[in-house]
């Protein structure tokens, strides 16, 4: 439920009531008089309120996480939307911060954080490294540098730490469940058990008629999901630490590249130019099935991780929303 705060509506409601009352004393709108100073103040107040819009994309989070109730209220003191979320008996308060979902004490640093609704190339072809410009190559190289990865704030974890109860390892592990996925035991967060079951069902069904998918399933050597750790060369938790990411490891990569950092170790200057044909990838049908259940694929990142899938239904829904709005 998205709630418009009463203060945004009250001034326009009062103005209508005042005018209606004034007209009630006259047979014509032409006879209605409004004090000019009151009118100017009223116009200014309405203009200010019209400039404040409930975050349109908050509805994406509501759809992505339907068991959570989202309410929003504008706070003049911090000039941002306070987002109150209710999950069971737990009430969570964060601020919109251009989609970063930050606690109040981090609003001063909001420019350091990415929006949680960053662009994901849903159903789009992969970017061909052969078409990268020299400027793009330098930007990618800088983005993947150890120095940059240590200093950048990156994806803010406050929202995820709340809904997955992952502020500490002890709390998080009370939500980790062991399940079977494509023939292998794997530990994941309880919130993604059902989406993963849907993925497994659809992949097994596709394997009955699609040889590429069937061969892919047979090629799997293990699946890795929950593992409490930080992302290499950063100070940020990996989504594996939340139990919402899964790596599908085949018996062989057949001499192809699969993870940008491993490639970078061998080719520090040209790792991002690895041709797509030289990268190991799951079948497109498998990627589509994961995406349809709310998972993003790491192969679509500039710092590619082609064995990696991560549960972010908000990114899939945001990509669909953007496509429909275009």
């Amino acid at each position: 439920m998205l709630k418009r705060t009463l203060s945004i509506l009250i001034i326009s409601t009062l103005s209508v009531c005042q005018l209606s009352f004034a007209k009630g004393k006259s047979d014509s709108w032409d006879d209605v008089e409004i004090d000019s100073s009151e009118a100017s103040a009223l116009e200014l107040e309405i203009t200010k309120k019209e400039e404040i819009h409930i975050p349109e994309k908050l509805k994406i989070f509501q759809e992505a996480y339907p068991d959570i109730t989202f309410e929003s209220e504008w706070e003049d003191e911090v000039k941002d939307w306070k987002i109150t979320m209710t999950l069971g008996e737990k009430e969570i308060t964060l601020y919109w911060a251009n989609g970063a979902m930050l606690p109040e004490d981090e609003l001063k640093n909001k420019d350091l954080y990415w929006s949680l609704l960053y662009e994901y190339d849903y159903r789009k072809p992969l970017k061909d490294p052969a078409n990268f410009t020299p400027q793009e190559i330098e930007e990618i190289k800088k983005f993947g540098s150890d120095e940059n990865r240590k200093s950048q704030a990156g994806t803010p974890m406050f929202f995820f730490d709340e809904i997955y109860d992952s502020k500490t390892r002890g709390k998080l592990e009370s939500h980790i469940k062991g399940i079977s996925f494509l023939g292998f035991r794997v530990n994941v967060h309880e919130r993604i058990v059902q989406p993963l079951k849907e993925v497994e069902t659809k992949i097994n069904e596709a394997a009955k008629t699609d040889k590429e998918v069937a061969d892919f399933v047979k090629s799997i050597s293990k699946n890795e999901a929950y593992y409490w750790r930080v992302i290499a060369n950063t100070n940020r938790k990996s989504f594996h630490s939340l139990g919402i990411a899964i790596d599908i490891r085949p018996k062989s990569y057949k001499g192809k590249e699969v993870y940008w950092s491993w490639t970078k170790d061998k080719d520090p200057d040209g790792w991002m130019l690895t041709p797509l044909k030289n990268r190991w990838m799951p079948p497109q049908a498998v990627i589509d099935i994961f995406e349809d259940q709310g998972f993003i694929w790491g192969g679509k990142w500039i710092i590619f991780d082609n064995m990696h899938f991560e549960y972010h239904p908000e990114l899939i829904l945001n990509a669909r929303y953007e496509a429909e709005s275009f």
Side-chain angles (χ1 to χ4, degrees):
M1 176 179 66
L2 304 183
K3 181 182 70 177
R4 286 187 180 275
T5 183
L6 184 59
S7 62
I8 293 180
L9 299 176
I10 193 168
I11 191 70
S12 57
T13 302
L14 284 174
S15 65
V16 171
C17 291
Q18 289 167 351
L19 288 174
S20 297
F21 178 76
K23 184 179 184 301
K25 296 180 178 180
S26 173
D27 295 330
S28 169
W29 284 109
D30 295 334
D31 297 328
V32 176
E33 295 183 2
I34 302 176
D35 182 84
S36 60
S37 61
E38 290 182 359
S40 297
L42 183 63
E43 182 180 0
L44 178 61
E45 186 66 17
I46 291 174
T47 299
K48 287 180 178 179
K49 295 304 181 183
E50 285 179 344
E51 291 174 353
I52 301 173
H53 302 285
I54 288 178
E56 184 179 8
K57 289 191 174 182
L58 187 56
K59 64 185 179 184
I60 291 173
F61 287 94
Q62 180 70 83
E63 187 175 349
Y65 302 97
D67 60 326
I68 303 175
T69 299
F70 293 79
E71 296 185 350
S72 59
E73 182 175 5
W74 178 258
E75 286 201 353
D76 278 325
E77 186 176 347
V78 297
K79 298 294 187 293
D80 207 338
W81 286 97
K82 181 173 74 173
I83 311 299
T84 303
M85 295 163 279
T86 305
L87 175 58
E89 298 181 355
K90 181 179 182 180
E91 187 170 283
I92 306 155
T93 298
L94 295 172
Y95 288 80
W96 181 245
N98 298 321
M101 292 283 204
L102 302 178
E104 186 174 358
D105 60 2
E106 278 297 315
L107 288 176
K108 62 183 180 294
N109 300 318
K110 67 180 180 181
D111 291 340
L112 297 177
Y113 292 100
W114 301 340
S115 169
L116 297 183
L117 298 177
Y118 63 81
E119 182 179 356
Y120 175 73
D121 289 336
Y122 172 72
R123 293 294 196 268
K124 293 181 181 179
L126 294 176
K127 294 180 176 66
D128 187 346
N131 296 328
F132 289 161
T133 66
Q135 181 180 350
E136 287 174 328
I137 292 171
E138 287 305 311
E139 289 174 351
I140 295 169
K141 189 183 299 184
K142 180 180 178 180
F143 181 76
S145 69
D146 291 347
E147 180 181 1
N148 184 67
R149 287 171 62 76
K150 287 176 181 177
S151 63
Q152 67 181 201
T155 301
M157 298 298 290
F158 307 102
F159 172 75
F160 301 112
D161 278 343
E162 292 289 359
I163 67 171
Y164 292 108
D165 197 18
S166 56
K167 289 183 180 179
T168 67
R169 183 173 184 173
K171 287 185 175 182
L172 183 281
E173 289 189 344
S174 68
H175 301 281
I176 296 299
K177 306 297 180 186
I179 65 170
S180 175
F181 181 71
L182 297 177
F184 296 88
R185 195 73 176 168
V186 65
N187 295 321
V188 300
H189 195 284
E190 60 192 2
R191 289 185 67 90
I192 74 163
V193 168
Q194 190 56 42
L196 270 183
K197 286 184 177 179
E198 293 292 334
V199 169
E200 180 181 50
T201 297
K202 292 181 182 297
I203 287 177
N204 286 333
E205 187 64 28
K208 295 177 182 178
T209 56
D210 188 325
K211 184 178 184 303
E212 187 181 16
V213 174
D215 289 343
F216 167 76
V217 173
K218 293 176 184 176
S219 76
I220 297 174
S221 66
K222 61 181 176 178
N223 297 318
E224 299 172 331
Y226 170 67
Y227 175 41
W228 186 269
R229 65 178 179 82
V230 298
I231 301 171
N233 299 316
T234 76
N235 57 3
R236 303 188 305 279
K237 287 200 300 281
S238 163
F239 280 104
H240 282 287
S241 293
L242 278 62
I244 65 170
I246 183 168
D247 291 342
I248 299 179
R249 307 286 293 269
K251 297 168 185 173
S252 171
Y253 296 119
K254 299 181 179 178
K256 296 188 175 185
E257 304 299 327
V258 67
Y259 180 51
W260 76 281
S261 187
W262 297 344
T263 306
K264 180 187 173 188
D265 289 341
K266 296 181 290 185
D267 187 2
D269 295 322
W271 60 268
M272 75 294 294
L273 297 176
T274 304
L276 298 180
K277 66 179 182 179
N278 293 341
R279 302 183 188 186
W280 176 88
M281 302 183 192
Q284 186 60 50
V286 169
I287 296 169
D288 291 347
I289 288 170
F290 267 100
E291 288 183 338
D292 286 343
Q293 298 304 318
F295 291 82
I296 62 172
W297 176 49
K300 292 188 177 179
W301 297 332
I302 287 296
I303 48 174
F304 59 91
D305 189 351
N306 288 19
M307 60 186 155
H308 184 92
F309 291 92
E310 201 169 280
Y311 188 66
H312 285 295
E314 71 280 2
L315 291 180
I316 300 296
L317 290 171
N318 184 57
R320 291 174 179 168
Y321 175 87
E322 292 292 341
E324 292 170 0
S325 302
F326 181 72

